Amino acid sequence: MYSRESEDRFARAHQQMIRRDLMGRGITDSVVLGVMDEVRREEFVLDEYQSQAYADGPLPIGMGQTISQPYIVALMTQELQLDPDCEVLEIGTGSGYQTAVLSKLAKKVYTIERIGQLAESAQAVLGRLGVDNVEFYIGDGSCGWPQQRCFDRIIITAAVPKIPLPLIEQLKDGGLLVGPVGYAGVQELVVCEKKNGKITERLICDVRFVKLLGKFSFEQ
Ligand code: SAH
């Protein structure tokens, strides 16, 4: 529960974020902009960072991890070209902010987080917000979803040295995968398309993400 005054402050900062940080940088998809407007980032930010909930950057969420910059969340979502029939696999639940955005645009989101405490907290926030089309799994997302299953879209929200093979295998033909590829420090945001079993890659921009630690990614 927030006071009237802080509600107003959040609302102003939220609108400024949409106009300046998203529209001002080329987020043009009106459906994505609508969802970025609908999902309130303050719900996913720790108490001590509430005043920076709409700041133009990532913020700590504990356990050495971060909630992504709103622009990057919007950009990756726009690149995924979601439709309401899509089943999406997300690797790196973190705070659940990106998960919430995806859940409004897809049929179902399957999300994997390595750190149990973060997964549980994200699940609690999404439950409180009434989001009911997300399945959570605690484990190593570099190995893909634990059951055999293929996805229309895959989003990796932590840096990988290369796209983990199990994720390429779990991407449907005709599907898209978005994620940061590179080494600690700076990575390239990559969109992969699978067509007739073959992967083509498109580079979007430089990004900075925490590392994905796992069997098919960086060593733990
Ligand atoms: N999109 C999230 C940010 C996630 S940060 C948000 O906006 O809040 C990246 C997350 O990936 C971290 O929570 C980290 O714990 C998680 N992670 C790292 N390695 C992982 C792995 N192998 N499998 C699943 N999650 C992993």
Side-chain angles (χ1 to χ4, degrees):
M1 271 299 176
Y2 296 104
S3 68
R4 181 67 194 271
E5 198 185 321
S6 51
E7 288 276 359
D8 289 349
R9 207 167 330 113
F10 281 133
R12 275 196 304 275
H14 195 162
Q15 288 315 305
Q16 189 183 38
M17 178 272 270
I18 303 267
R19 277 197 315 276
R20 186 192 60 194
D21 304 333
L22 308 190
M23 297 170 83
R25 289 202 188 103
I27 303 298
T28 50
D29 186 324
S30 58
V31 179
V32 172
L33 287 168
V35 171
M36 293 301 293
D37 191 18
E38 195 181 332
V39 178
R40 295 159 54 132
R41 195 169 183 245
E42 63 268 32
E43 303 278 3
F44 301 88
V45 166
L46 293 175
D47 285 351
E48 55 265 50
Y49 296 105
Q50 284 288 309
S51 65
Q52 299 172 57
Y54 291 99
D56 184 24
L59 291 169
I61 54 172
M63 314 295 289
Q65 309 302 320
T66 53
I67 177 172
S68 305
Q69 180 187 17
Y71 167 64
I72 294 295
V73 170
L75 179 63
M76 291 173 85
T77 306
Q78 181 167 269
E79 289 296 343
L80 275 179
Q81 298 176 39
L82 293 161
D83 69 56
D85 291 331
C86 280
E87 294 204 313
V88 184
L89 174 63
E90 180 190 42
I91 311 298
T93 316
S95 67
Y97 178 54
Q98 172 82 70
T99 322
V101 169
L102 297 171
S103 76
K104 308 269 180 202
L105 296 167
K107 184 165 90 185
K108 183 141 188 189
V109 182
Y110 296 79
T111 186
I112 308 180
E113 170 56 54
R114 191 179 139 258
I115 302 174
Q117 201 172 313
L118 294 178
E120 279 158 23
S121 148
Q123 190 165 6
V125 176
L126 291 175
R128 184 157 48 74
L129 298 178
V131 173
D132 62 0
N133 60 340
V134 177
E135 223 171 283
F136 294 84
Y137 179 77
I138 299 169
D140 178 5
S142 76
C143 300
W145 190 254
Q147 285 103 44
Q148 240 188 11
R149 170 178 269 292
C150 278
F151 301 91
D152 304 290
R153 302 287 186 267
I154 298 180
I155 176 169
I156 312 173
T157 75
V160 289
K162 60 184 174 79
I163 306 294
L165 194 57
L167 299 183
I168 292 180
E169 286 170 353
Q170 288 195 334
L171 184 63
K172 273 190 197 164
D173 210 63
L176 295 173
L177 177 153
V178 177
V181 181
Y183 288 88
V186 70
Q187 307 95 32
E188 194 85 53
L189 189 62
V190 173
V191 180
C192 298
E193 185 172 10
K194 194 180 205 177
K195 259 195 188 151
N196 304 319
K198 278 174 71 185
I199 297 285
T200 51
E201 277 190 12
R202 193 160 51 87
L203 307 182
I204 307 296
C205 61
D206 284 352
V207 285
R208 283 165 202 280
F209 276 83
V210 296
K211 287 197 269 186
L212 192 87
L213 303 174
K215 187 168 170 208
F216 294 88
S217 188
F218 291 104
E219 276 181 27
Q220 317 210 18

